[in-house]
Amino acid sequence: MLDVLILGRGFIGKYLEQLLEAHHMSFKSTTTDGRDGSIKWRLPETQSFSPDKGSFSVLPAAKAVVITFPLQGEAPAMYLIHGYLDHHASTDTTVTPQWVYLGSTRPFKEVPSTRYTKPDISAGGPRVEAEELIIKSFNGHVLNLVGLWGGERVPEKWSRFYTEKEKLRNRLKDRSLHLVHGADTARAILAVISKPDPNGGRWLVSDKHTYDMLEILIGDPRIRGFLEELLKEEDVRKLVGADKIEDIKMGESEVTLRIDSSHFWKQYGIEPEYLYKIGALDPYKGV
């Protein structure tokens, strides 16, 4: 039996594989095309009430199953979990895995939000329903992650989301950005697998810092041009507390902590290791 099965290698799975290998733990990952030695598998798009055991026959038994892709509601979550369990029950393999599901912090609107904050269903939609099911019905662990970064995936490139002046105007109203490196996310997953709560639960995971999105974006000449135009408006000048770009105060002291993940790091006795710095190279060099 494997130590860990990763459903959906993706961005996080690559970091998690490296960490598990370093800890001499057995694992397998799935991808939709079976590349790089992974298992070719995807959750069927059409999900009947009774799962097709055949669609789960390629998934090996594991002590822990990490789900990295979003589940749109209770039905697909039930389909996946029962399909996996039923398949292995039919092969006389006793499998009672620990379920770890990766979600986002989008549904958390309270300022600041902690692991005890109730997620906003209207903001999270069916994904929150899946999370609640995994926690309450299967004693699973849900890690709600902030913005992921690492390698080529860096916040400086996110200026592409601000293709027009109005989008920047809206971002100025809330410049807070929370991040967590892929490697620290993998460490968080391993911590939960190594020291699970028998009742499961929900954790918010970030690197405990708050970044200023404007400070990151301002290095893009196009964004700087948008801001210069916006500063011609009195309400924007009041919003940023300055008449020109050079006088705008930027940095962590100028933004609001919205996601408080301190409970997680304290509970598991570890700290995030890979912090983001504008323009700096990724500090992660492998395990």
Side-chain angles (χ1 to χ4, degrees):
M1 183 180 295
L2 293 176
D3 290 313
V4 183
L5 174 62
I6 307 167
L7 297 182
R9 177 188 279 165
F11 177 74
I12 295 301
K14 295 175 182 178
Y15 289 100
L16 184 55
E17 286 178 341
Q18 293 177 19
L19 188 61
L20 294 173
E21 187 171 9
H23 282 79
H24 307 291
M25 297 175 70
S26 58
F27 63 88
K28 274 289 186 181
S29 299
T30 70
T31 60
T32 57
D33 58 6
R35 63 187 177 275
D36 301 327
S38 62
I39 299 169
K40 183 178 180 180
W41 180 83
R42 70 164 68 227
L43 186 67
E45 294 181 7
T46 301
Q47 298 146 6
S48 61
F49 181 75
S50 179
D52 173 13
K53 294 177 184 177
S55 62
F56 294 93
S57 60
V58 298
L59 301 181
K63 298 174 186 176
V65 179
V66 181
I67 307 168
T68 71
F69 54 82
L71 295 169
Q72 299 293 343
E74 292 185 356
M78 289 287 283
Y79 183 91
L80 189 161
I81 294 174
H82 279 297
Y84 182 79
L85 297 177
D86 290 351
H87 163 68
H88 286 289
S90 70
T91 61
D92 296 323
T93 304
T94 301
V95 180
T96 53
Q98 179 190 164
W99 296 95
V100 180
Y101 178 66
L102 306 185
S104 80
T105 53
R106 186 171 300 168
F108 295 88
K109 301 302 181 183
E110 188 175 306
V111 180
S113 288
T114 72
R115 70 168 304 209
Y116 301 109
T117 302
K118 187 175 181 179
D120 184 340
I121 297 292
S122 63
R127 295 187 185 187
V128 175
E129 297 173 3
E131 293 175 5
E132 291 294 316
L133 176 80
I134 290 170
I135 294 170
K136 295 176 181 178
S137 298
F138 300 97
N139 297 326
H141 294 75
V142 173
L143 303 184
N144 291 103
L145 309 175
V146 295
L148 295 169
W149 79 283
E152 295 298 313
R153 187 170 177 163
V154 291
E156 285 98 326
K157 294 184 178 181
W158 298 347
S159 62
R160 68 183 187 275
F161 299 122
Y162 301 90
T163 55
E164 51 192 61
K165 188 169 61 174
E166 289 309 307
K167 292 182 178 180
L168 180 61
R169 182 199 303 275
N170 291 332
R171 196 66 169 101
L172 291 175
K173 297 174 184 176
D174 178 12
R175 289 154 43 185
S176 299
L177 175 67
H178 293 282
L179 297 170
V180 65
H181 194 284
D184 279 328
T185 303
R187 293 174 61 238
I189 294 169
L190 180 58
V192 168
I193 291 172
S194 303
K195 186 182 174 184
D197 184 326
N199 299 316
R202 180 190 298 281
W203 299 94
L204 306 190
V205 181
S206 76
D207 67 9
K208 302 204 306 187
H209 286 264
T210 309
Y211 300 89
D212 185 342
M213 193 64 188
L214 182 59
E215 187 179 26
I216 296 168
L217 294 175
I218 201 65
D220 185 318
R222 181 174 53 83
I223 299 295
R224 194 177 185 91
F226 284 159
L227 185 55
E228 287 177 345
E229 291 183 31
L230 287 170
L231 283 172
K232 296 175 183 178
E233 303 174 20
E234 184 179 358
D235 59 337
V236 174
R237 293 195 296 272
K238 288 182 179 179
L239 186 62
V240 299
D243 294 334
K244 53 185 179 179
I245 294 176
E246 292 75 13
D247 293 335
I248 300 176
K249 294 181 180 179
M250 302 182 198
E252 188 165 3
S253 62
E254 304 303 315
V255 290
T256 302
L257 173 70
R258 295 191 171 277
I259 300 297
D260 180 358
S261 65
S262 58
H263 291 102
F264 176 82
W265 302 104
K266 182 177 181 180
Q267 172 68 22
Y268 288 98
I270 57 176
E271 290 290 327
E273 293 182 354
Y274 305 100
L275 304 183
Y276 170 70
K277 292 183 180 180
I278 299 173
L281 295 175
D282 184 344
Y284 178 72
K285 303 301 179 186
V287 179

